[in-house]
Amino acid sequence: MDKIYRARRKRARHIRTQSGRVFRQRLGAIFTLVLFAGVLSIAGVIGASFLVYHSYASDLQNPQDEIDQRFVGPSFAFDRNGQQLGEYVDKTAGLRHPVPLNQISPFVIAATVATEDSTFYTNPGVNFKGLARAAWENLTPFGGGGFFGGTGGSSITQQLVKNVYTPEINTGVVNESTSDKINRKLKESVVAIELKRQYSNDQILDWYLGQIFYGRNANGIEAASEAFFGKKAKDLTLGEAAYLAGLPQAPGDYAKDADSAKRRQGEVLDLMISHLDDINKIPTDGDETKPLVGLTVDQINAARDEPLNFIDTSFSIQAPHFFYYLQDQVTKMCQAGLFSAPGDISCDEVVTQGGLKITSTLDLGLNALVQKSIEDQISAYEDGTNGHDASSVTIDPKTGEILAYIGSRNFNDDHVCDQNDPDSLGCEISGQVDIASSEQSLGSTMKMFTYLKAFEDGWVPSTFIDDKELILDPGTNAAHKINNWNSSYLGTITIRKAMSESVNTAAVRTLLEVGEDGMRDMAHRMGITDLRQGNCGPTITLGACEVKLVDQTFAYAVLANGGDMIGRPTSEDLPSGFRELDPVSVLKITDNDGNVLYNFDKPETRHIVDPAYAYMITDIASNDGINWSRLTIDRPAATKTGTSEEFRDGVIMGYTPDLVTGVWMGNANNNPMTPGTFSAQGVGPIWREVMTEASQYLNLPKDDFKRPDDVILLDCNGRREVFKVNTPTVKAGACHGPSGHDSGASASPTPKGPVFPTRTEPPSTTPTPVPTETPVLPAVTYYKTQEGDTVQSVANKYRVGAADLAKANAITITTPLQPGTILVIPLSSAQPSPAGSPTPVPEPTESPQPGN
């Protein structure tokens, strides 16, 4: 038995030995294969890296030659009459007019190195420490920024490369793919290393300081020194150098706001202290035995209190907001293929480097007229309204051409609000903020899209809609009451009355019936490029979501054209269903040799809405609407008012058959205006003056709006009403349409509606002209009292007699005023109320909804 067990154990050991040998042989084979594959992979990576490096680094030119090769010349913009607007500054201008490094203050060099790349004089072109930090932030889930969402780690040399060598892949595209980002960083790194290999540190820093942008149209340290301090770069003090060295981080912000830039200067000085050893080792002319500076902590701290003597910041660009809007439009036109850039210049650089002569649609004479109207009207009433800024766009609806474009009240007002203190004073204008092309709440001017969609769906101006209490999402935490501007309800009213008197509950009820998607689609067809989020909710019709004034003005031009959009093929990247045409800002573009690259021969036309439905809107807005808002001018015109929540925005959109103007008023820092500053009395006087004077300036005829052939006017309870022939209506109204027309009303007896007052004269499509001296303010306005107000102080604010103010409110001059009291402000004797004008209902104590 023992022999049997011994035999079995021997056989088992043999089997284990054989298995172990086979396993070791296989493991060895696998290891050999892995090792062989690894060697091949390393060789492949090395080979691939060599090829990539060679492709990026071959034929490398120095930055000056690189710029000269693709630079044709600066571009100039002109108005439609040939008056120059300005010259577009090339960001590489400093490289084409270099200043030697020994002609630049050593403090600038020290501050720049400490701020941008403390290892500049020792790294091979790439700041590997900075790249490691950036990689941790951008390529791991632990860095806090997400993939490619963290900070950058570019060295000074890489920043130079990014601005000079790789503009074609450094366009700031929001949706740049990860592979494109990697490719861009790889190219920047390779070229930076090669630059450091071929050129000295001083030469690279000289190139860098010659092209970096500091704001105020200053490219390069010499231009910046002149623009900010009126001196040569070699004469800059330590404090001035630290101030300028901090600007490239955010030149658009810091260069406009001395307070923010001063705080940034402190950060730069802190960095100089942190890297004091590095900057004190910066060599002079490459000689490491001769330090460029020998700074101490005390010297750096003393620079914090050094006075900074800035020079005047204004510059001689005509119509500056339009000037920059034009640059953006020409760039987009090039990208859309509407013209080809000369030579090898990219579309992103075509305006600054392509040597273009751009003739715009702007009329400088008209633009100056509008600018003056804004200044005159705001300065006259801003103490009472607390509205200090305004913007305006005027378009010729028959061509789509932008004739006047004012982005703010004063471009040279460079106050920028402290984001941590939005109520800070002095930043209500922030002149370089272009309101015309920024998203703003345009209040009830959005209702036009809702009612136009309703007319498409079979409604008519005499259709009934309820004006009564309306609470959205009742019984939930999101319950929201819709307020009318006067906190009162009219019951069952017509669409005509609802639109002309800007009734909020009626507009929201209409929106709920036609659908938010339908209303947004209408807005997009008409010209709005925003409203893409799809979650605005029913108050979208009251201006709850923001749009651009220039887009809204273009949309109202469709109404002025009777339903047609007229302009040029769009260069915007818009989804299907959005507008196909853009407003026209360019008449002609020629290259440096005079060859025509683009010529606006004639506008294109798109039929957007049925002329009958466009006419229904115009009929309401040009009769009931403009009379109710008291904005009539010396010719037929249509208007729609808009006031956003808490009186932060006041808007008037209005048009004649030949001219469309949209005007916004408010504060650039979004501070509310005085309670009771409704658009009719706030921004209304600006619109009225602009349209009157612009029509006279352009010598426009006093034409009436053309009624389409398929629109019929019928008697409706003593007044005329508008219907489209052979088109059934789907909702009951104040009167029947033509025989067999009003299917909604014929299904049941016509409900009894509101009785309109009998006119003493036959109705006319032409409003009675109002003399130019007629005041534009309504008969009364309203004011919500604040802490410390007295009857006398409020009277002084609105320039009325204290006795008149007391009488209008049934109080005495000495009556104490409690905060929150609503006062009726009568017109002064110098501004009598026009006879027969409607008197608005007093402003409620509760803030109005957007859109009033």
Side-chain angles (χ1 to χ4, degrees), residues 499-797:
M499 177 179 159
S500 63
E501 298 187 14
S502 208
V503 180
N504 284 348
T505 63
V508 173
R509 281 190 170 91
T510 303
L511 187 282
L512 290 171
E513 293 201 43
V514 303
E516 180 185 344
D517 289 344
M519 180 269 190
R520 284 193 301 112
D521 290 345
M522 174 64 73
H524 293 153
R525 285 160 49 195
M526 295 279 285
I528 300 302
T529 57
D530 304 300
L531 304 180
R532 304 191 194 190
Q533 59 270 50
N535 61 350
C536 295
T539 54
I540 186 176
T541 191
L542 307 182
C545 286
E546 299 176 332
V547 298
K548 301 179 184 68
L549 182 66
V550 64
D551 286 351
Q552 188 81 326
T553 307
F554 191 49
Y556 271 75
V558 174
L559 297 174
N561 290 327
D564 286 348
M565 177 178 287
I566 300 178
R568 64 157 172 83
T570 184
S571 55
E572 303 288 338
D573 183 16
L574 299 174
S576 175
F578 282 60
R579 76 187 192 203
E580 297 179 4
L581 302 178
D582 284 347
V584 183
S585 56
V586 179
L587 294 177
K588 188 176 183 179
I589 300 175
T590 60
D591 65 15
N592 206 40
D593 297 322
N595 300 309
V596 177
L597 302 180
Y598 173 84
N599 194 47
F600 181 65
D601 295 320
K602 63 179 181 179
E604 295 188 16
T605 300
R606 300 287 188 275
H607 300 292
I608 305 301
V609 294
D610 190 297
Y613 305 137
Y615 184 79
M616 289 178 182
I617 295 288
T618 296
D619 185 72
I620 297 172
S622 64
N623 290 287
D624 309 78
I626 199 169
N627 287 322
W628 184 80
S629 62
R630 303 167 61 85
L631 294 175
T632 52
I633 57 176
D634 64 344
R635 64 196 63 222
T639 60
K640 184 67 195 79
T641 60
T643 307
S644 71
E645 194 170 14
E646 297 182 348
F647 301 97
R648 297 183 188 277
D649 309 86
V651 186
I652 299 290
M653 301 301 307
Y655 55 96
T656 68
D658 301 291
L659 203 64
V660 185
T661 294
V663 186
W664 171 92
M665 175 181 169
N667 295 303
N669 61 356
N670 203 36
N671 278 352
M673 294 181 284
T674 302
T677 307
F678 290 100
S679 55
Q681 69 252 33
V683 69
I686 302 176
W687 179 88
R688 196 168 185 270
E689 182 173 311
V690 167
M691 284 295 286
T692 299
E693 296 194 11
S695 297
Q696 294 172 355
Y697 173 90
L698 297 170
N699 196 27
L700 299 176
K702 297 182 180 181
D703 291 338
D704 206 342
F705 294 102
K706 182 180 179 181
R707 177 159 56 92
D709 294 337
D710 61 348
V711 166
I712 187 170
L713 304 180
L714 298 177
D715 179 79
C716 180
N717 295 330
R719 65 161 298 152
R720 56 150 212 181
E721 196 48 275
V722 181
F723 295 91
K724 176 177 168 61
V725 299
N726 301 321
T727 305
T729 58
V730 299
K731 194 174 176 63
C735 55
H736 292 286
S739 177
H741 173 279
D742 193 349
S743 62
S746 61
S748 60
T750 303
K752 184 178 180 180
V755 178
F756 293 93
T758 303
R759 295 182 178 228
T760 57
E761 297 180 358
S764 169
T765 57
T766 305
T768 303
V770 178
T772 56
E773 66 272 15
T774 300
V776 297
L777 290 178
V780 293
T781 188
Y782 307 94
Y783 173 69
K784 182 183 292 185
T785 58
Q786 302 174 21
E787 190 71 39
D789 279 340
T790 65
V791 173
Q792 186 64 57
S793 68
V794 175
N796 292 342
K797 179 179 292 189

Side-chain angles (χ1 to χ4, degrees), residues 114-235:
T115 304
E116 300 295 339
D117 182 6
S118 63
T119 66
F120 171 72
Y121 277 90
T122 58
N123 69 48
V126 176
N127 183 352
F128 287 107
K129 182 178 179 181
L131 279 182
R133 185 200 69 247
W136 176 258
E137 293 181 356
N138 291 285
L139 298 177
T140 75
F142 313 108
F147 287 99
F148 286 99
T151 61
S154 297
S155 66
I156 283 177
T157 315
Q158 285 176 288
Q159 292 179 55
L160 174 65
V161 171
K162 181 166 57 177
N163 292 335
V164 175
Y165 292 92
T166 61
E168 75 281 359
I169 55 174
N170 183 47
T171 58
V173 178
V174 174
N175 294 321
E176 184 182 19
S177 67
T178 299
S179 61
D180 287 339
K181 292 177 182 178
I182 293 174
N183 182 55
R184 170 166 55 84
K185 281 295 183 184
L186 183 60
K187 183 171 183 178
E188 288 173 7
S189 299
V190 168
V191 177
I193 291 172
E194 193 64 18
L195 273 182
K196 265 298 188 84
R197 191 181 68 82
Q198 294 187 27
Y199 301 99
S200 70
N201 288 320
D202 284 354
Q203 177 62 80
I204 292 172
L205 186 61
D206 191 17
W207 283 328
Y208 174 82
L209 291 171
Q211 57 81 44
I212 198 69
F213 181 59
Y214 291 88
R216 286 195 193 175
N217 281 351
N219 293 88
I221 188 61
E222 183 77 355
S225 182
E226 294 280 2
F228 284 85
F229 300 111
K231 58 172 64 175
K232 298 293 184 182
K234 66 183 178 63
D235 299 322

Side-chain angles (χ1 to χ4, degrees), residues 48-58 189-191 193-194 197:
S49 299
F50 176 79
L51 292 176
V52 170
Y53 190 99
H54 180 74
S55 67
Y56 286 154
S58 61
S189 299
V190 168
V191 177
I193 291 172
E194 193 64 18
R197 191 181 68 82

